[in-house]
Amino acid sequence: MKIAIHGRNFPEKARPYIQSMFDELAKRQVEVVLSHVYREFLDSAAVSHNSEATYQTDQGISDVDFIFSLGGDGTLLDAVTHVGPQQIPIVGINIGRLGFLATVAPSSIRLMIDALFNEQYSIDERVLVGVRSNPDIFGNLPFGLNDFTITRTQTSSMITVHTYLDGEFLNSYWADGIIISTPSGSTGYSLSCGGPVLLPQTNNFIITPISPHNLNVRPMIVMDTCQLAFEVESRSGNFLAALDSRSFTVEVSARISVQKEAFKARLVKLSDDNFLNTLRSKLNWGWDIRN
């Protein structure tokens, strides 16, 4: 088995679990390839990883069986860009905090490795949002797992986002911006702006305005088979376009369209991994101090 590993810095309490993971992989003679940024951090943190092979994050990874993401959901979003159309299965190990996407607890890493070797797991395919623009904004990474957002710059007043659905005019959003969220991203930025939670396999996008001037403007759910297009007006002459954690300042002359990407992200799910359980535990649903 050959496994790529990407991660970020971790709290000291997670060190024994991470070292144990590398020891277990070495014991099972797994070939390990580290992202170059994670290799540098592991070396500085004096974690023994027994791996000399690395890959450049801007070039991506191929020819591996799995990629481990050690961190929070942001780290897993990075891993999605490393994999891209290769659709390599991603194992999200939650060294971060919330963890809607990275669901494997550090204490369960050994059990997870057993499950991989015994093929006791399933693959959860997640829709990606794809962005096409003129001029090009996101280069060779025009896709994201969570959301695409158009927002005002820090120094500008609210913007107007003229939005079209399959070529037909939908609305002009006079707001701080707009979010186009996948079901995976429904528990992220969109949720904090009043958007609904969607089950991961729902075939929809969410259009969520950010602080709209008109209070009767609400989030809207559309089929993910549609194409959305945007034209932006801004007094500053520019706006911010963001795809997951990657953002750029864009001139208002840009023309942008959004649709479902041709490939998907493939997340590894263990037998006890259930989205409804994750919702209840992460959002404290049903929690009441009186109980």
Side-chain angles (χ1 to χ4, degrees):
M1 185 178 291
K2 186 176 181 180
I3 293 175
I5 301 178
H6 173 64
R8 297 181 181 176
N9 58 342
F10 51 79
E12 187 60 30
K13 64 181 180 181
R15 177 188 293 273
Y17 298 110
I18 294 175
Q19 185 61 70
S20 175
M21 177 194 71
F22 282 109
D23 294 343
E24 183 68 18
L25 292 176
K27 177 182 176 182
R28 294 174 181 261
Q29 298 183 326
V30 174
E31 185 178 353
V32 173
V33 183
L34 301 172
S35 71
H36 73 283
V37 291
Y38 197 47
R39 164 71 183 273
E40 291 176 359
F41 172 76
L42 291 174
D43 289 344
S44 66
V47 174
S48 176
H49 48 76
N50 299 315
S51 175
E52 297 297 327
T54 62
Y55 71 92
Q56 299 294 317
T57 55
D58 58 347
Q59 297 176 5
I61 185 68
S62 61
D63 191 31
V64 297
D65 298 297
F66 300 95
I67 180 170
F68 288 5
S69 166
L70 279 78
D73 286 351
T75 310
L76 192 142
L77 295 178
D78 289 342
V80 170
T81 66
H82 301 176
V83 169
Q86 302 291 333
Q87 298 189 114
I88 298 165
I90 303 171
V91 180
I93 302 170
N94 185 20
I95 310 296
R97 290 172 292 182
L98 204 55
F100 277 100
L101 299 171
T103 55
V104 177
S107 59
S108 300
I109 289 178
R110 282 180 177 251
L111 295 176
M112 176 269 296
I113 294 174
D114 280 337
L116 295 184
F117 271 86
N118 295 323
E119 298 185 355
Q120 296 174 338
Y121 62 89
S122 60
I123 297 295
D124 185 7
E125 294 192 339
R126 300 292 185 94
V127 167
L128 300 172
V129 58
V131 179
R132 303 297 181 264
S133 61
N134 184 19
D136 183 31
I137 299 173
F138 298 103
N140 62 348
L141 298 175
F143 56 88
L145 177 57
N146 267 3
D147 47 48
F148 168 70
T149 63
I150 293 173
T151 58
R152 66 183 182 91
T153 59
Q154 292 181 348
T155 57
S156 69
S157 57
M158 68 175 63
I159 59 177
T160 304
V161 185
H162 304 294
T163 304
Y164 300 84
L165 179 64
D166 285 334
E168 293 189 28
F169 177 66
L170 172 63
N171 189 25
S172 291
Y173 291 93
W174 190 13
D176 282 354
I178 190 173
I179 306 166
I180 308 302
S181 170
T182 67
S184 299
S186 70
T187 53
Y189 193 10
S190 176
L191 180 63
S192 69
C193 293
V197 174
L198 298 184
L199 296 178
Q201 302 307 321
T202 306
N203 300 317
N204 298 107
F205 287 141
I206 308 169
I207 305 173
T208 307
I210 305 170
S211 301
H213 181 71
N214 298 321
L215 299 182
N216 59 343
V217 175
R218 292 289 182 262
M220 180 178 180
I221 298 175
V222 298
M223 294 293 291
D224 65 8
T225 53
C226 73
Q227 183 183 73
L228 295 163
F230 308 96
E231 299 174 357
V232 181
E233 291 184 27
S234 170
R235 291 181 183 177
S236 65
N238 55 39
F239 60 93
L240 291 178
L243 194 49
D244 287 344
S245 60
R246 310 182 303 280
S247 63
F248 300 91
T249 300
V250 182
E251 300 296 321
V252 293
S253 59
R255 294 296 177 262
I256 301 173
S257 66
V258 168
Q259 60 189 26
K260 179 171 62 175
E261 189 53 85
F263 54 90
K264 296 181 179 182
R266 306 179 73 223
L267 307 184
V268 173
K269 296 297 179 184
L270 304 184
S271 58
D272 60 348
D273 190 351
N274 181 284
F275 181 72
L276 299 182
N277 290 339
T278 301
L279 276 182
R280 288 193 298 271
S281 63
K282 303 301 182 182
L283 298 181
N284 293 325
W285 283 5
W287 183 87
D288 192 319
I289 194 171
R290 295 171 297 179
N291 297 326

PDB file of all heavy atoms in Angstrom, residues 133-135 137 230-232 239 250-256:
ATOM      1  N   SER A 133     -14.042  31.430 -15.567  1.00  0.00           N
ATOM      2  CA  SER A 133     -14.070  32.893 -15.574  1.00  0.00           C
ATOM      3  C   SER A 133     -13.222  33.449 -16.708  1.00  0.00           C
ATOM      4  O   SER A 133     -12.311  32.792 -17.214  1.00  0.00           O
ATOM      5  CB  SER A 133     -13.544  33.436 -14.238  1.00  0.00           C
ATOM      6  OG  SER A 133     -12.203  33.031 -14.012  1.00  0.00           O
ATOM      7  N   ASN A 134     -13.553  34.653 -17.091  1.00  0.00           N
ATOM      8  CA  ASN A 134     -12.800  35.409 -18.094  1.00  0.00           C
ATOM      9  C   ASN A 134     -12.604  36.824 -17.562  1.00  0.00           C
ATOM     10  O   ASN A 134     -13.558  37.579 -17.445  1.00  0.00           O
ATOM     11  CB  ASN A 134     -13.535  35.427 -19.427  1.00  0.00           C
ATOM     12  CG  ASN A 134     -12.733  36.118 -20.513  1.00  0.00           C
ATOM     13  OD1 ASN A 134     -11.524  36.282 -20.390  1.00  0.00           O
ATOM     14  ND2 ASN A 134     -13.410  36.555 -21.566  1.00  0.00           N
ATOM     15  N   PRO A 135     -11.355  37.194 -17.183  1.00  0.00           N
ATOM     16  CA  PRO A 135     -10.125  36.393 -17.262  1.00  0.00           C
ATOM     17  C   PRO A 135     -10.095  35.263 -16.234  1.00  0.00           C
ATOM     18  O   PRO A 135     -10.874  35.263 -15.287  1.00  0.00           O
ATOM     19  CB  PRO A 135      -9.036  37.424 -16.971  1.00  0.00           C
ATOM     20  CG  PRO A 135      -9.708  38.424 -16.083  1.00  0.00           C
ATOM     21  CD  PRO A 135     -11.113  38.532 -16.596  1.00  0.00           C
ATOM     22  N   ILE A 137      -9.298  33.116 -13.115  1.00  0.00           N
ATOM     23  CA  ILE A 137      -9.025  33.523 -11.734  1.00  0.00           C
ATOM     24  C   ILE A 137      -8.233  32.458 -10.980  1.00  0.00           C
ATOM     25  O   ILE A 137      -7.233  32.754 -10.327  1.00  0.00           O
ATOM     26  CB  ILE A 137     -10.340  33.815 -10.977  1.00  0.00           C
ATOM     27  CG1 ILE A 137     -11.109  34.948 -11.650  1.00  0.00           C
ATOM     28  CG2 ILE A 137     -10.053  34.166  -9.514  1.00  0.00           C
ATOM     29  CD1 ILE A 137     -12.488  35.180 -11.050  1.00  0.00           C
ATOM     30  N   PHE A 230     -22.530  35.327 -13.174  1.00  0.00           N
ATOM     31  CA  PHE A 230     -22.529  36.518 -12.321  1.00  0.00           C
ATOM     32  C   PHE A 230     -21.856  37.697 -13.022  1.00  0.00           C
ATOM     33  O   PHE A 230     -20.849  37.532 -13.708  1.00  0.00           O
ATOM     34  CB  PHE A 230     -21.782  36.230 -11.013  1.00  0.00           C
ATOM     35  CG  PHE A 230     -22.258  35.006 -10.300  1.00  0.00           C
ATOM     36  CD1 PHE A 230     -21.600  33.793 -10.470  1.00  0.00           C
ATOM     37  CD2 PHE A 230     -23.366  35.038  -9.467  1.00  0.00           C
ATOM     38  CE1 PHE A 230     -22.028  32.650  -9.828  1.00  0.00           C
ATOM     39  CE2 PHE A 230     -23.812  33.900  -8.827  1.00  0.00           C
ATOM     40  CZ  PHE A 230     -23.143  32.711  -9.000  1.00  0.00           C
ATOM     41  N   GLU A 231     -22.440  38.870 -12.801  1.00  0.00           N
ATOM     42  CA  GLU A 231     -21.833  40.143 -13.155  1.00  0.00           C
ATOM     43  C   GLU A 231     -21.883  41.012 -11.907  1.00  0.00           C
ATOM     44  O   GLU A 231     -22.905  41.056 -11.220  1.00  0.00           O
ATOM     45  CB  GLU A 231     -22.580  40.807 -14.309  1.00  0.00           C
ATOM     46  CG  GLU A 231     -22.571  39.982 -15.595  1.00  0.00           C
ATOM     47  CD  GLU A 231     -23.446  40.595 -16.675  1.00  0.00           C
ATOM     48  OE1 GLU A 231     -24.100  41.623 -16.378  1.00  0.00           O
ATOM     49  OE2 GLU A 231     -23.496  40.052 -17.777  1.00  0.00           O
ATOM     50  N   VAL A 232     -20.796  41.691 -11.611  1.00  0.00           N
ATOM     51  CA  VAL A 232     -20.682  42.413 -10.344  1.00  0.00           C
ATOM     52  C   VAL A 232     -20.513  43.902 -10.585  1.00  0.00           C
ATOM     53  O   VAL A 232     -19.765  44.318 -11.469  1.00  0.00           O
ATOM     54  CB  VAL A 232     -19.491  41.877  -9.512  1.00  0.00           C
ATOM     55  CG1 VAL A 232     -19.387  42.608  -8.177  1.00  0.00           C
ATOM     56  CG2 VAL A 232     -19.635  40.375  -9.287  1.00  0.00           C
ATOM     57  N   PHE A 239     -13.742  43.308  -6.591  1.00  0.00           N
ATOM     58  CA  PHE A 239     -14.369  42.496  -5.548  1.00  0.00           C
ATOM     59  C   PHE A 239     -13.471  41.306  -5.265  1.00  0.00           C
ATOM     60  O   PHE A 239     -12.457  41.100  -5.949  1.00  0.00           O
ATOM     61  CB  PHE A 239     -15.764  42.028  -5.982  1.00  0.00           C
ATOM     62  CG  PHE A 239     -15.781  41.183  -7.227  1.00  0.00           C
ATOM     63  CD1 PHE A 239     -15.731  39.799  -7.160  1.00  0.00           C
ATOM     64  CD2 PHE A 239     -15.831  41.775  -8.486  1.00  0.00           C
ATOM     65  CE1 PHE A 239     -15.734  39.024  -8.295  1.00  0.00           C
ATOM     66  CE2 PHE A 239     -15.833  41.001  -9.641  1.00  0.00           C
ATOM     67  CZ  PHE A 239     -15.787  39.629  -9.551  1.00  0.00           C
ATOM     68  N   VAL A 250     -10.591  40.735  -7.906  1.00  0.00           N
ATOM     69  CA  VAL A 250     -10.988  40.622  -9.314  1.00  0.00           C
ATOM     70  C   VAL A 250     -11.624  41.935  -9.765  1.00  0.00           C
ATOM     71  O   VAL A 250     -12.379  42.558  -9.009  1.00  0.00           O
ATOM     72  CB  VAL A 250     -11.994  39.461  -9.494  1.00  0.00           C
ATOM     73  CG1 VAL A 250     -12.380  39.306 -10.958  1.00  0.00           C
ATOM     74  CG2 VAL A 250     -11.400  38.156  -8.958  1.00  0.00           C
ATOM     75  N   GLU A 251     -11.335  42.336 -10.984  1.00  0.00           N
ATOM     76  CA  GLU A 251     -11.960  43.530 -11.555  1.00  0.00           C
ATOM     77  C   GLU A 251     -13.420  43.228 -11.908  1.00  0.00           C
ATOM     78  O   GLU A 251     -13.768  42.091 -12.260  1.00  0.00           O
ATOM     79  CB  GLU A 251     -11.209  43.973 -12.811  1.00  0.00           C
ATOM     80  CG  GLU A 251      -9.745  44.329 -12.584  1.00  0.00           C
ATOM     81  CD  GLU A 251      -9.593  45.527 -11.664  1.00  0.00           C
ATOM     82  OE1 GLU A 251     -10.403  46.478 -11.783  1.00  0.00           O
ATOM     83  OE2 GLU A 251      -8.662  45.518 -10.829  1.00  0.00           O
ATOM     84  N   VAL A 252     -14.274  44.263 -11.846  1.00  0.00           N
ATOM     85  CA  VAL A 252     -15.708  44.059 -12.089  1.00  0.00           C
ATOM     86  C   VAL A 252     -16.003  43.690 -13.541  1.00  0.00           C
ATOM     87  O   VAL A 252     -17.105  43.227 -13.854  1.00  0.00           O
ATOM     88  CB  VAL A 252     -16.517  45.306 -11.693  1.00  0.00           C
ATOM     89  CG1 VAL A 252     -16.467  45.527 -10.192  1.00  0.00           C
ATOM     90  CG2 VAL A 252     -16.015  46.542 -12.444  1.00  0.00           C
ATOM     91  N   SER A 253     -15.048  43.860 -14.420  1.00  0.00           N
ATOM     92  CA  SER A 253     -15.242  43.482 -15.825  1.00  0.00           C
ATOM     93  C   SER A 253     -15.234  41.968 -16.019  1.00  0.00           C
ATOM     94  O   SER A 253     -15.620  41.482 -17.094  1.00  0.00           O
ATOM     95  CB  SER A 253     -14.158  44.117 -16.695  1.00  0.00           C
ATOM     96  OG  SER A 253     -12.854  43.710 -16.262  1.00  0.00           O
ATOM     97  N   ALA A 254     -14.804  41.220 -15.006  1.00  0.00           N
ATOM     98  CA  ALA A 254     -14.718  39.754 -15.116  1.00  0.00           C
ATOM     99  C   ALA A 254     -16.110  39.144 -15.265  1.00  0.00           C
ATOM    100  O   ALA A 254     -17.086  39.623 -14.688  1.00  0.00           O
ATOM    101  CB  ALA A 254     -14.022  39.178 -13.900  1.00  0.00           C
ATOM    102  N   ARG A 255     -16.184  38.080 -16.021  1.00  0.00           N
ATOM    103  CA  ARG A 255     -17.415  37.317 -16.173  1.00  0.00           C
ATOM    104  C   ARG A 255     -17.181  35.926 -15.596  1.00  0.00           C
ATOM    105  O   ARG A 255     -16.210  35.253 -15.952  1.00  0.00           O
ATOM    106  CB  ARG A 255     -17.833  37.233 -17.641  1.00  0.00           C
ATOM    107  CG  ARG A 255     -18.226  38.592 -18.222  1.00  0.00           C
ATOM    108  CD  ARG A 255     -19.456  39.142 -17.517  1.00  0.00           C
ATOM    109  NE  ARG A 255     -19.833  40.466 -17.984  1.00  0.00           N
ATOM    110  CZ  ARG A 255     -19.501  41.586 -17.357  1.00  0.00           C
ATOM    111  NH1 ARG A 255     -18.737  41.534 -16.256  1.00  0.00           N
ATOM    112  NH2 ARG A 255     -19.900  42.752 -17.813  1.00  0.00           N
ATOM    113  N   ILE A 256     -18.075  35.507 -14.728  1.00  0.00           N
ATOM    114  CA  ILE A 256     -17.866  34.275 -13.962  1.00  0.00           C
ATOM    115  C   ILE A 256     -19.086  33.368 -14.096  1.00  0.00           C
ATOM    116  O   ILE A 256     -20.231  33.829 -14.032  1.00  0.00           O
ATOM    117  CB  ILE A 256     -17.634  34.594 -12.469  1.00  0.00           C
ATOM    118  CG1 ILE A 256     -16.420  35.514 -12.297  1.00  0.00           C
ATOM    119  CG2 ILE A 256     -17.450  33.319 -11.664  1.00  0.00           C
ATOM    120  CD1 ILE A 256     -16.226  35.996 -10.870  1.00  0.00           C
TER     121      ILE A 256
END
